[in-house]
Amino acid sequence: MSTSTAMSTSPALTWGSYRRTITSVALVLIVLVFAFSSARRVVWVDLYEFFLWMETTWFGVIGKTWGAAFAVVEAFHLLAMALLGGAVFVADFRLLGWSFPDVPAQDVLDKAHKVFVVGLIVVLSTGIFMACGVAGKIYWLPVFWYKMLALMTGILFVFFIKRPLLNRDLDEIKPWVVKLVAVASLLVWITVAATGRWIGFAGS
Amino acid sequence: MNDETKKDSDLADLQTAATAVGVTIVVFFVVYWAAQIQSTYELLAMAYGW
């Protein structure tokens, strides 16, 4: 390759090579601009009709009418959160070197991820049912919106960053990046669980 | 670009993305929880006259 050809293709090659980084940073900037602009309030006001509609769905009617049904679904929601939280703690503590040091990290991560996915599916499906039952309450709670932010961040982080990165040979990855990913993952999922519990304590 | 170069490039991209997003998450949620702990402390201080 001649020098001039190499120089003309380098920038494109560099930008193309960092597609995931550019997408991630762009997404973070979009969320920040949205959070600190009037667009957030406009969207929040527009969503009111949607939350009112949620209470009129089958899920909403069942959730509001039969407390026992809501309680049973909530029990499964909490059990699934425990499953999901357990999987996150096991995987991230292994990455930090705090648990299962004798078991290969990749084994722990793969098995924990399977449990995590099952927990996440149950959490999301039961969570939608519960949200319909108390839509008129959660709409007004800032903590609910922080939970949604943390949940979306957690899901995108796991499937877009954490899994693709940790599918590689861990010896190839810088150790501090592995630890940073584990700490970020723990913070996100602890926030999801804590804010979820907080919704239960918050007044209507 | 050969396979080895592409693999290295993908790993560099993943590590950079993980660093950028990881730092953002840690900073955001540390600030969030610090603010929550501070407001809870102030509420308790008002309630009990600390």
Side-chain angles (χ1 to χ4, degrees):
Chain A
M1 189 184 284
S2 69
T3 311
S4 60
T5 311
M7 284 177 72
S8 65
T9 55
S10 287
L13 189 66
T14 305
W15 285 107
S17 306
Y18 284 90
R19 197 175 301 152
R20 195 180 298 262
T21 304
I22 293 164
T23 309
S24 306
V25 171
L27 203 60
V28 168
L29 289 175
I30 288 168
V31 170
L32 286 175
V33 168
F34 176 76
F36 291 103
S37 69
S38 58
R40 181 171 60 94
R41 188 168 179 80
V42 171
V43 171
W44 181 68
V45 171
D46 287 346
L47 278 173
Y48 186 60
E49 291 296 321
F50 176 73
F51 274 69
L52 288 181
W53 170 81
M54 280 168 72
E55 283 199 339
T56 65
T57 60
W58 276 89
F59 285 171
V61 172
I62 293 170
K64 279 197 300 183
T65 313
W66 290 294
F70 189 92
V72 169
V73 173
E74 188 173 21
F76 280 102
H77 187 73
L78 294 175
L79 285 170
M81 275 305 294
L83 199 66
L84 186 149
V88 168
F89 274 106
V90 165
D92 292 337
F93 279 7
R94 179 65 186 85
L95 291 175
L96 291 168
W98 297 347
S99 66
F100 305 110
D102 301 332
V103 184
Q106 211 62 55
D107 285 357
V108 175
L109 295 175
D110 289 345
K111 284 173 183 158
H113 185 68
K114 284 176 189 158
V115 175
F116 172 86
V117 171
V118 173
L120 184 64
I121 290 168
V122 179
V123 160
L124 290 178
S125 46
T126 52
I128 289 168
F129 174 88
M130 290 166 60
C132 288
V134 290
K137 170 188 165 182
I138 56 175
Y139 175 81
W140 300 101
L141 297 176
V143 70
F144 167 74
W145 298 103
Y146 278 112
K147 178 182 165 123
M148 290 302 105
L149 175 68
L151 182 64
M152 286 302 114
T153 305
I155 292 171
L156 288 175
F157 184 64
V158 166
F159 292 102
F160 193 63
I161 305 274
K162 190 180 171 191
R163 274 312 283 174
L165 179 69
L166 300 179
N167 271 337
R168 305 298 185 103
D169 185 356
L170 289 182
D171 293 334
E172 289 178 358
I173 307 167
K174 291 171 191 156
W176 63 266
V177 174
V178 172
K179 288 185 172 33
L180 176 65
V181 165
V183 170
S185 167
L186 282 169
L187 262 175
V188 166
W189 292 107
I190 286 172
T191 303
V192 171
T195 49
R197 192 70 284 274
W198 197 339
I199 290 170
F201 290 131
S204 55
Chain B
M1 199 190 303
N2 63 35
D3 284 352
E4 195 60 34
T5 312
K6 188 174 182 329
K7 203 178 154 196
D8 289 347
S9 164
D10 284 352
L11 183 61
D13 182 21
L14 268 169
Q15 291 197 92
T16 313
T19 305
V21 176
V23 168
T24 307
I25 286 173
V26 170
V27 169
F28 179 87
F29 286 109
V30 165
V31 170
Y32 174 76
W33 282 114
Q36 295 304 327
I37 291 165
Q38 169 82 7
S39 68
T40 305
Y41 176 81
E42 284 172 5
L43 276 174
L44 289 171
M46 275 198 295
Y48 295 102
W50 294 346

